Amino acid sequence: MGDFMTELFDKSSAHYVLLQPVKLFGHPNAKDKIDLLNSLRNYADLGDIEYVYPLVFEKDTELAWTAAQIVSEVMGKVQGKQWNMVYDRVKYTNINIDRMSILLKFSPEVSVHLLGVASLNYNGYIREKALKLASGLSDSRIVPYILLRLNDWVLPVRNLALHILRSKFTTENFDAFIDNFYLVDKLQNALRVDLKSIREEIADYLKEDTMLNNLMLRLKNPNVKLRRFCYWLLEDKIADDDIINSALKDKSFEIHMWLVDAIKNLDEDRRDDVIEKLLQDKSAKVKTAVLRNYEEIVCLKFKERLVSLVADDNASVRDEARFICKKHSIIKDFPEFYRQQILINPVPGALIGLGETGNKSDYDIVCKFFNHEEPKFKVAAMTAMWYLSKDDTVKHVMDFLESDIPKIKKTAKKFLKNSKMPTVLFQMKDKLKGGNADIKLLALEIICGYGGWHALEGILFVIANNEGIVQNKAKELLNKWLIRATNIYYKPDEATGKRIQSLCDDIKKKNILLPSTLKELSFLIETRI
């Protein structure tokens, strides 16, 4: 934190010096500013632009070049969603409209960013002039700045940006448009003016036959959002086996989700072949999407796979498969289906499915898998047991809080946090009296989830009888509880009230709480209990 604050202080001091006029004699002269810029260079970001940029207009060539290079380096790093914040960071940069032609004296790769920043100025005349000067540059790095101006609130600026944009539809600029796919995609959501048709123009340019090889190469890019954009461009070429196979092999569910929609235009045999593969996808979202989009086809041609999905590991897939099977009378008695599945070929999804659709009489069936050697069966059995009878399962779930298997412990915690059972509350109070710090923190969190006076009792117990991380957490929760205490419109029962008063007295003797917190707590107890 100290280094962070020092950096802020140094930048603040640097900004102050950079804003001072260059002096021939005294400080700061041109060399002082150059040295300062070089020191700032490695740390410069968008917040420095408005202080550095005006120096590009200085007569001292080295000073102007140094400032221009820093602006160029900062802007050259901006990509994707970062463009959303650029305007607010640079819009008030001081730019002399009468001297803007000077910005072209730098090398093209620097000038393009200087004019780009000017095109983001709050002044419409400066934005317009920046675009006019930039229109003569062939550097592809101007593309993101042009894309941003298509939604400008000044009509002449919008029209000029569109004119420049169309002039950039060349083979050389393909990478610049693809790399700025985020800004191209944003055009469909523009509020000020409808830019969907312009987005389609860009798409038509990017998927021309001369660009196809470059576009196919980008399907291997590590950025899944970029791959998704490229697949969208290739959607009207979906019949190409290379595209389908590439999408099926892609490890991202987002690409498979694209494929679910894209195959609607395929011929029947090829479409069905892809549907069959997607029904076996690792992603629950993909399988659910296939069931929803191709219900009739799945029922007609992939009934066996549909039935197997009724016992899928994922709840959303099971729900959708059950809905379709019920609608088409493929399965009429789901509990019995799951009972038979468990008897013949038990899988975790069948256990949970029986828990979701069965009744308490099925408890013993799923309970047999509670001690299964495979963790996923343990989790499934515990889940099914919880659904069928919470009262009978509470003790088992409690025991699993100390499991060495993360998935089992996580599931047990989830059930206890979401339940509002007196049994759980009382057992959690017992957990506060012993056990390790993690169990105490969990117990405290669960008790606080019940709210009211029980929460206060648990918090005060921990503060009075613990130290370190557990006590600190309880103090934090106490402050939150006191803020919400005005929403409690009832008094605690007599026994709870007495325990709260006793705990408060213990805390006073131990001098644990801040005087202000203790005073607020004491007042509340005196007036409400």
Side-chain angles (χ1 to χ4, degrees):
M1 179 62 77
D3 292 341
F4 178 68
M5 293 304 293
T6 301
E7 183 182 326
L8 284 179
F9 175 78
D10 290 342
K11 277 199 171 187
S12 179
S13 300
H15 293 164
Y16 176 78
V17 174
L18 292 175
L19 288 173
Q20 303 305 307
V22 175
K23 299 176 182 176
L24 290 175
F25 305 101
H27 178 78
N29 58 34
K31 186 177 182 308
D32 292 330
K33 290 201 173 189
I34 292 169
D35 291 342
L36 187 57
L37 287 174
N38 285 326
S39 298
L40 179 65
R41 194 166 193 161
N42 290 333
Y43 309 100
D45 55 34
L46 289 171
D48 300 304
I49 295 290
E50 67 175 297
Y51 304 98
V52 175
Y53 191 100
L55 299 175
V56 304
F57 296 102
E58 290 289 344
K59 293 179 181 179
D60 186 287
T61 305
E62 186 181 356
L63 176 57
W65 269 94
T66 304
Q69 286 172 329
I70 290 176
V71 172
S72 175
E73 289 166 5
V74 170
M75 297 308 299
K77 295 175 184 175
V78 177
Q79 57 184 344
K81 292 183 179 181
Q82 292 173 325
W83 284 107
N84 292 337
M85 68 175 76
V86 171
Y87 176 72
D88 285 333
R89 304 301 290 274
V90 306
K91 62 183 177 182
Y92 293 124
T93 301
N94 187 15
I95 298 175
N96 187 334
I97 192 170
D98 297 325
R99 300 184 62 208
M100 283 178 63
S101 56
I102 289 175
L103 301 176
L104 290 171
K105 76 177 182 179
F106 301 96
S107 58
E109 62 269 21
V110 173
S111 290
V112 71
H113 289 299
L114 295 177
L115 290 168
V117 171
S119 74
L120 294 164
N121 198 267
Y122 75 98
N123 186 313
Y125 294 108
I126 291 177
R127 295 199 304 276
E128 185 175 14
K129 186 166 184 179
L131 290 186
K132 287 179 179 177
L133 292 171
S135 63
L137 294 175
S138 59
D139 196 299
S140 62
R141 280 168 281 203
I142 197 62
V143 168
Y145 299 105
I146 302 303
L147 289 170
L148 286 167
R149 294 280 54 78
L150 293 171
N151 194 30
D152 200 281
W153 49 96
V154 177
L155 182 59
V157 176
R158 284 205 305 271
N159 290 339
L160 180 55
L162 181 57
H163 174 74
I164 297 172
L165 181 83
R166 287 169 174 158
S167 73
K168 300 300 177 186
F169 291 167
T170 64
T171 305
E172 294 76 20
N173 289 327
F174 173 85
D175 287 342
F177 278 94
I178 289 292
D179 289 339
N180 288 286
F181 71 92
Y182 175 77
L183 294 178
V184 176
D185 258 352
K186 274 193 69 175
L187 298 178
Q188 66 182 325
N189 300 318
L191 299 177
R192 190 173 294 111
V193 59
D194 189 351
L195 298 176
K196 291 185 181 67
S197 61
I198 297 176
R199 181 172 177 261
E200 289 299 327
E201 276 190 58
I202 296 172
D204 290 341
Y205 146 66
L206 290 173
K207 60 187 180 184
E208 288 175 2
D209 291 340
T210 54
M211 312 286 189
L212 188 57
N213 286 338
N214 282 334
L215 196 54
M216 290 295 290
L217 287 173
R218 289 302 187 109
L219 299 181
K220 304 297 182 184
N221 191 282
N223 185 334
V224 64
K225 300 296 183 185
L226 188 149
R227 298 201 305 277
R228 175 68 179 80
F229 178 75
C230 291
Y231 277 111
W232 168 70
L233 292 172
L234 292 165
E235 196 157 315
D236 57 358
K237 294 179 171 58
I238 186 65
D240 187 324
D241 281 347
D242 288 341
I243 296 173
I244 292 176
N245 291 333
S246 175
L248 285 170
K249 290 176 183 176
D250 199 295
K251 293 182 179 179
S252 171
F253 84 90
E254 290 188 45
I255 305 305
H256 296 182
M257 288 293 284
W258 165 80
L259 197 55
V260 170
D261 186 63
I263 59 174
K264 288 179 179 177
N265 299 321
L266 280 176
D267 65 84
E268 183 178 340
D269 290 341
R270 192 70 179 100
R271 179 202 61 198
D272 293 348
D273 181 52
V274 177
I275 288 175
E276 185 177 17
K277 290 181 172 66
L278 291 176
L279 283 171
Q280 302 171 59
D281 201 88
K282 290 181 180 180
S283 168
K285 289 183 178 180
V286 173
K287 286 185 284 192
T288 304
V290 174
L291 292 175
R292 288 176 180 171
N293 284 274
Y294 302 101
E295 177 183 321
E296 299 296 333
I297 296 170
V298 171
C299 284
L300 184 64
K301 299 183 178 181
F302 304 108
K303 186 180 292 185
E304 188 176 337
R305 169 56 60 178
L306 170 63
V307 171
S308 73
L309 293 178
V310 173
D312 191 82
D313 287 349
N314 187 273
S316 66
V317 178
R318 290 195 302 274
D319 283 342
E320 194 65 31
R322 281 198 296 259
F323 173 79
I324 295 172
C325 285
K326 183 177 181 180
K327 179 179 177 181
H328 295 270
S329 300
I330 296 172
I331 298 175
K332 296 181 180 179
D333 186 342
F334 288 107
E336 185 57 29
F337 168 83
Y338 286 123
R339 292 179 195 119
Q340 293 301 315
Q341 173 85 48
I342 292 169
L343 186 65
I344 299 168
N345 180 30
V347 293
L351 295 175
I352 302 176
L354 183 56
E356 292 167 334
T357 61
N359 54 55
K360 194 172 181 179
S361 65
D362 296 309
Y363 186 86
D364 290 339
I365 296 175
V366 297
C367 188
K368 293 175 183 177
F369 293 87
F370 192 67
N371 294 315
H372 198 283
E373 60 183 13
E374 290 188 43
K376 62 181 181 181
F377 273 92
K378 286 179 180 285
V379 172
M382 177 170 58
T383 303
M385 290 162 63
W386 185 260
Y387 290 160
L388 293 169
S389 177
K390 291 183 175 62
D391 290 333
D392 293 324
T393 313
V394 165
K395 183 182 182 304
H396 299 297
V397 175
M398 289 286 184
D399 292 340
F400 270 154
L401 286 176
E402 300 187 41
S403 171
D404 294 329
I405 301 170
K407 178 67 175 176
I408 291 177
K409 184 187 290 188
K410 182 179 179 181
T411 305
K413 286 182 178 179
K414 181 185 74 173
F415 287 150
L416 294 174
K417 285 180 181 178
N418 294 336
S419 71
K420 288 292 182 284
M421 300 166 60
T423 308
V424 173
L425 176 61
F426 295 138
Q427 291 209 34
M428 285 299 109
K429 286 183 177 181
D430 286 338
K431 295 286 185 185
L432 292 179
K433 298 173 183 177
N436 59 40
D438 288 340
I439 295 295
K440 288 182 180 179
L441 287 171
L442 173 65
L444 186 60
E445 182 182 354
I446 291 173
I447 290 169
C448 286
Y450 285 78
W453 300 107
H454 289 295
L456 178 61
E457 181 189 350
I459 291 169
L460 295 181
F461 180 86
V462 170
I463 293 174
N465 296 283
N466 289 269
E467 55 186 26
I469 188 172
V470 179
Q471 188 187 73
N472 290 337
K473 182 63 178 179
K475 289 179 181 178
E476 177 189 324
L477 291 170
L478 175 60
N479 289 327
K480 293 179 179 178
W481 189 93
L482 289 170
I483 292 171
R484 297 192 293 264
T486 52
N487 295 324
I488 301 175
Y489 300 108
Y490 62 93
K491 288 188 175 185
D493 61 80
E494 186 177 349
T496 303
K498 286 181 178 179
R499 288 195 295 269
I500 289 173
Q501 287 177 320
S502 177
L503 288 167
C504 187
D505 291 338
D506 288 346
I507 290 169
K508 286 178 183 178
K509 292 173 185 176
K510 295 177 181 179
N511 197 26
I512 301 171
L513 294 176
L514 292 172
S516 57
T517 304
L518 191 58
K519 182 179 179 181
E520 187 176 355
L521 176 62
S522 299
F523 176 78
L524 184 136
I525 290 174
E526 289 171 6
T527 57
R528 302 287 300 278
I529 296 179

